[in-house]
Every structure is written in C-alpha cells, then in structure tokens.
Amino acid sequence: MSHPLTVRLPDDDVEKLDAIAQATDRKRSWHMSRAISLYIKDEHAFLEGVKAGIEAADKGDVLSHDKVDAELDALFQKKVR
C-alpha cells in the first residue's frame, strides 16, 4: 500500500529534480519515493545503532576514554611503522 504525500521544495531543487527525471526517463514521484526510502533506511539504521549503544551503556558494556585512547594510539603507531 502506498500513501500520497505532499512535499514543498525550493524552486532550484525542483528544477534539479526535473532535470534528473528527464535524464533518467523516470517520473518525479519515482525519484522522490526512492530518495525518501533511502533517507528513512539510513535514519532508521542510525537510530537503531543509538538504541543499541544506549542499551549497551545501560548494561555497563562500555570502554573508558583512556582504554579507547590507548587502543587508537596503538593502531596509529602500528600504521606509522
């Protein structure tokens, strides 16, 4: 099932969208749907990562700043050699 959605865009974005639609022989709505789907997928993955991080922190599954700093220093030293 799909739902209609109204989106307001600046004129220059509409012009670019129309150029993309014409160049790809696709409708504006196809490109907007694709763009929104990709955005939603990315934001959802980010929020799931934040949620997992908060849950890990709540369980005490974290590293101290000093430990992370030491591990990064070791990685950089290894890379320099």
Side-chain angles (χ1 to χ4, degrees):
M1 176 185 255
S2 63
H3 299 276
L5 180 67
T6 301
V7 177
R8 295 192 183 277
L9 296 172
D11 290 340
D12 57 328
D13 285 346
V14 173
E15 290 172 12
K16 292 172 187 172
L17 178 60
D18 285 342
I20 293 167
Q22 184 176 9
T24 59
D25 198 28
R26 298 266 190 183
K27 293 185 179 201
R28 255 190 211 173
S29 60
W30 184 89
H31 287 283
M32 291 301 301
S33 180
R34 183 168 182 250
I36 292 169
S37 291
L38 291 170
Y39 172 81
I40 290 169
K41 180 181 177 184
D42 183 55
E43 287 298 305
H44 186 264
F46 174 77
L47 290 174
E48 288 297 309
V50 169
K51 182 180 171 184
I54 291 170
E55 289 172 359
D58 287 345
K59 293 177 186 173
D61 186 15
V62 295
L63 296 174
S64 70
H65 176 78
D66 291 338
K67 174 127 173 119
V68 172
D69 196 35
E71 288 184 15
L72 286 174
D73 281 344
L75 284 173
F76 287 126
Q77 291 302 320
K78 191 177 203 181
K79 190 84 169 172
V80 171
R81 290 180 203 169

